[in-house]
mmCIF file of all heavy atoms in Angstrom:
data_model
loop_
_atom_site.group_PDB
_atom_site.id
_atom_site.type_symbol
_atom_site.label_atom_id
_atom_site.label_comp_id
_atom_site.label_asym_id
_atom_site.label_seq_id
_atom_site.Cartn_x
_atom_site.Cartn_y
_atom_site.Cartn_z
ATOM 1 N N ALA A 35 80.508 2.207 254.130
ATOM 2 C CA ALA A 35 81.781 1.929 253.472
ATOM 3 C C ALA A 35 81.575 1.343 252.089
ATOM 4 O O ALA A 35 82.401 1.520 251.207
ATOM 5 C CB ALA A 35 82.599 0.963 254.329
ATOM 6 N N LEU A 36 80.467 0.647 251.887
ATOM 7 C CA LEU A 36 80.246 0.037 250.582
ATOM 8 C C LEU A 36 79.913 1.099 249.542
ATOM 9 O O LEU A 36 79.156 2.015 249.815
ATOM 10 C CB LEU A 36 79.082 -0.964 250.665
ATOM 11 C CG LEU A 36 79.436 -2.309 251.285
ATOM 12 C CD1 LEU A 36 78.180 -3.145 251.467
ATOM 13 C CD2 LEU A 36 80.438 -3.066 250.434
ATOM 14 N N PRO A 37 80.478 0.990 248.382
ATOM 15 C CA PRO A 37 80.178 1.970 247.341
ATOM 16 C C PRO A 37 78.778 1.762 246.790
ATOM 17 O O PRO A 37 78.548 0.981 245.873
ATOM 18 C CB PRO A 37 81.238 1.683 246.280
ATOM 19 C CG PRO A 37 81.691 0.290 246.533
ATOM 20 C CD PRO A 37 81.420 -0.032 247.966
ATOM 21 N N ALA A 38 77.846 2.472 247.399
ATOM 22 C CA ALA A 38 76.441 2.263 247.055
ATOM 23 C C ALA A 38 76.153 2.599 245.600
ATOM 24 O O ALA A 38 75.231 2.068 245.000
ATOM 25 C CB ALA A 38 75.577 3.139 247.957
ATOM 26 N N SER A 39 76.969 3.495 245.036
ATOM 27 C CA SER A 39 76.650 3.985 243.704
ATOM 28 C C SER A 39 77.280 3.126 242.608
ATOM 29 O O SER A 39 77.114 3.404 241.441
ATOM 30 C CB SER A 39 77.132 5.411 243.571
ATOM 31 O OG SER A 39 78.519 5.453 243.844
ATOM 32 N N ILE A 40 78.018 2.099 242.970
ATOM 33 C CA ILE A 40 78.695 1.310 241.942
ATOM 34 C C ILE A 40 77.809 0.166 241.470
ATOM 35 O O ILE A 40 77.345 -0.649 242.256
ATOM 36 C CB ILE A 40 80.052 0.787 242.456
ATOM 37 C CG1 ILE A 40 80.990 1.973 242.610
ATOM 38 C CG2 ILE A 40 80.639 -0.234 241.503
ATOM 39 C CD1 ILE A 40 82.363 1.617 243.079
ATOM 40 N N ALA A 41 77.547 0.163 240.186
ATOM 41 C CA ALA A 41 76.724 -0.882 239.597
ATOM 42 C C ALA A 41 77.654 -1.890 238.947
ATOM 43 O O ALA A 41 78.174 -1.655 237.882
ATOM 44 C CB ALA A 41 75.794 -0.279 238.564
ATOM 45 N N LEU A 42 77.882 -2.993 239.626
ATOM 46 C CA LEU A 42 78.932 -3.892 239.167
ATOM 47 C C LEU A 42 78.584 -4.632 237.889
ATOM 48 O O LEU A 42 79.217 -4.461 236.864
ATOM 49 C CB LEU A 42 79.293 -4.877 240.286
ATOM 50 C CG LEU A 42 80.137 -4.237 241.391
ATOM 51 C CD1 LEU A 42 80.269 -5.169 242.576
ATOM 52 C CD2 LEU A 42 81.505 -3.841 240.862
ATOM 53 N N ALA A 43 77.581 -5.449 237.945
ATOM 54 C CA ALA A 43 77.360 -6.326 236.793
ATOM 55 C C ALA A 43 76.052 -6.022 236.073
ATOM 56 O O ALA A 43 75.644 -6.755 235.187
ATOM 57 C CB ALA A 43 77.377 -7.778 237.250
ATOM 58 N N GLN A 44 75.389 -4.948 236.466
ATOM 59 C CA GLN A 44 74.101 -4.666 235.848
ATOM 60 C C GLN A 44 74.261 -4.248 234.394
ATOM 61 O O GLN A 44 75.034 -3.356 234.081
ATOM 62 C CB GLN A 44 73.411 -3.529 236.596
ATOM 63 C CG GLN A 44 72.710 -3.988 237.853
ATOM 64 C CD GLN A 44 72.089 -2.811 238.581
ATOM 65 O OE1 GLN A 44 71.753 -1.819 237.971
ATOM 66 N NE2 GLN A 44 71.971 -2.937 239.887
ATOM 67 N N ALA A 45 73.523 -4.882 233.521
ATOM 68 C CA ALA A 45 73.549 -4.492 232.116
ATOM 69 C C ALA A 45 72.766 -3.196 231.959
ATOM 70 O O ALA A 45 71.887 -2.888 232.756
ATOM 71 C CB ALA A 45 72.921 -5.593 231.261
ATOM 72 N N SER A 46 73.148 -2.426 230.927
ATOM 73 C CA SER A 46 72.411 -1.195 230.670
ATOM 74 C C SER A 46 71.080 -1.535 230.023
ATOM 75 O O SER A 46 70.954 -2.519 229.302
ATOM 76 C CB SER A 46 73.219 -0.293 229.749
ATOM 77 O OG SER A 46 74.345 0.193 230.418
ATOM 78 N N ASP A 47 70.088 -0.707 230.286
ATOM 79 C CA ASP A 47 68.777 -0.860 229.694
ATOM 80 C C ASP A 47 68.809 -0.250 228.283
ATOM 81 O O ASP A 47 69.123 0.930 228.132
ATOM 82 C CB ASP A 47 67.774 -0.130 230.609
ATOM 83 C CG ASP A 47 66.391 -0.039 229.999
ATOM 84 O OD1 ASP A 47 66.152 -0.673 228.951
ATOM 85 O OD2 ASP A 47 65.553 0.679 230.585
ATOM 86 N N PRO A 48 68.514 -1.048 227.231
ATOM 87 C CA PRO A 48 68.589 -0.517 225.859
ATOM 88 C C PRO A 48 67.722 0.721 225.663
ATOM 89 O O PRO A 48 68.106 1.645 224.942
ATOM 90 C CB PRO A 48 68.075 -1.678 224.996
ATOM 91 C CG PRO A 48 68.268 -2.885 225.829
ATOM 92 C CD PRO A 48 68.136 -2.458 227.257
#
Side-chain angles (χ1 to χ4, degrees):
Chain A
L36 282 173
S39 57
I40 291 181
L42 285 170
Q44 279 178 27
S46 291
D47 172 9

